[in-house]
Amino acid sequence: ARGGSFAMSAFSASNAPCTTHSLHARVSPVSKARQGKTSLPSSRNVLLTFPRPGSNRASRFGAIVGHASGTETPSPVRKVLVPIADGTEEIEAVTVIDVLRRAGAEVTVMSVEDGRNEVVCSRGVRLVADANVKDVAGRGAPNDWDLIAVPGGMPGAEHIADHTKFHAVLEKHFRAGKLMAGICAAPAICFEPKGFLEGFAATAHPAFVDELGGSLMEKNDQAQCRVVVDKTMVTSRGPGTSLEWSLCLVEQLFGKDKAKEVAGPMVVQPANAKLLRNLEWRLDETPVAK
């Protein structure tokens, strides 16, 4: 085991742990949840590109996204790699890219689709990456990433997991003990079979969490947590937790103050927020009857 772990909401007032305990080595089980999750919808006419902070397009919206002159706290440069593929979950991908760039991270969006940077996501949204896997993998490719954050979605997570050249990038990053993050299907599909979660606490989408190894007690403790942080591994559950996951990554890279600074202008709902007026809407969290 690699020591204690905790699960958190990235904008909780206390960041109190869900659980703290020793962990057991993990053995990857046979995939059970992949079947029936690999079809791509027909394409919609939505195309998103990612202007970098400092560009004309990005600077025009500086006051909105938290880059207003004179308001930001100087931070060290942090380099982040976000792989995307056909079938990637677009909410998770765009959220982590956007939030980390608001924090000042140098984010490179990379397509694992050989020969093209445009991908069609799980709901038909088209994303155009900054780079292709051929530019990021292989001899002479950059290897100074501070974080690799893998969005989920199917079959996007499988495409990312199965790419031989990108596997080498992930493997090298993991062996160096650097920060890694996965959400939704990614922890179970991209990390677990490669042994990256051995000895780490983790969570995943409800449809995939049973594919994570470890003791039954360990899985039960972590399965319901929205974001789980165990040393260099940060995992989360799905589109609805992607903002918390992203803010948590800001905290891991830049500290708590930067996470709060980024969350403030976004009007993020605190984890312990109460209804203020009788017309204010909140999602009913009562479990749906089956």
Side-chain angles (χ1 to χ4, degrees):
R2 300 195 182 189
S5 64
F6 63 93
M8 61 178 286
S9 164
F11 40 82
S12 170
S14 62
N15 285 339
C18 251
T19 181
T20 302
H21 52 77
S22 296
L23 304 177
H24 300 279
R26 297 168 176 244
V27 178
S28 178
V30 177
S31 172
K32 297 176 291 184
R34 298 193 195 188
Q35 298 179 0
K37 302 177 186 294
T38 58
S39 60
L40 274 173
S42 59
S43 173
R44 279 77 163 178
N45 293 322
V46 180
L47 179 65
L48 298 181
T49 57
F50 303 99
R52 296 178 180 277
S55 67
N56 289 336
R57 291 174 62 196
S59 60
R60 283 162 38 200
F61 301 97
I64 296 176
V65 302
H67 292 296
S69 176
T71 63
E72 58 187 60
T73 302
S75 301
V77 175
R78 295 286 186 257
K79 294 185 178 182
V80 180
L81 182 65
V82 178
I84 59 174
D86 287 340
T88 286
E89 217 302 318
E90 44 268 77
I91 291 177
E92 296 162 2
V94 173
T95 300
V96 72
I97 293 163
D98 180 284
V99 171
L100 287 171
R101 284 185 173 168
R102 290 177 190 239
E106 185 179 303
V107 181
T108 297
V109 185
M110 181 208 70
S111 166
V112 300
E113 303 299 337
D114 291 323
R116 59 183 169 90
N117 289 5
E118 182 178 312
V119 305
V120 181
C121 293
S122 61
R123 301 302 184 273
V125 174
R126 293 175 178 268
L127 302 181
V128 179
D130 303 312
N132 192 266
V133 64
K134 65 180 176 61
D135 304 313
V136 175
R139 293 183 179 180
N143 59 6
D144 56 345
W145 309 110
D146 296 292
L147 162 67
I148 296 180
V150 184
M154 291 292 279
E158 288 183 323
H159 291 180
I160 293 169
D162 294 342
H163 198 286
T164 304
K165 289 185 177 179
F166 185 64
H167 167 77
V169 175
L170 277 177
E171 179 83 16
K172 186 172 184 178
H173 188 83
F174 173 74
R175 298 303 173 195
K178 294 184 176 181
L179 188 64
M180 296 183 69
I183 189 170
C184 192
I189 303 302
C190 299
F191 292 172
E192 177 71 27
K194 300 177 186 295
F196 296 163
L197 295 182
E198 184 174 344
F200 287 97
T203 189
H205 191 275
F208 292 90
V209 73
D210 286 341
E211 296 191 39
L212 303 181
S215 68
L216 181 62
M217 180 180 69
E218 178 182 321
K219 286 195 294 184
N220 286 345
D221 282 348
Q222 302 299 327
Q224 300 304 315
C225 293
R226 296 172 66 83
V227 180
V228 176
V229 183
D230 189 3
K231 296 185 183 296
T232 58
M233 189 66 64
V234 183
T235 53
S236 190
R237 308 205 74 196
T241 67
S242 57
L243 184 54
E244 296 159 75
W245 178 63
S246 301
L247 287 169
C248 178
L249 295 176
V250 171
E251 180 175 309
Q252 302 306 304
L253 291 172
F254 299 102
K256 290 184 179 180
D257 288 346
K258 175 59 74 173
K260 292 178 181 178
E261 178 184 321
V262 171
M266 296 170 67
V267 199
V268 175
Q269 176 179 301
N272 58 353
K274 296 180 180 180
L275 288 173
L276 300 179
R277 296 290 186 272
N278 61 356
L279 295 181
E280 185 175 10
W281 181 89
R282 293 284 173 81
L283 180 66
D284 183 359
E285 296 182 351
T286 304
V288 178
K290 295 183 179 180

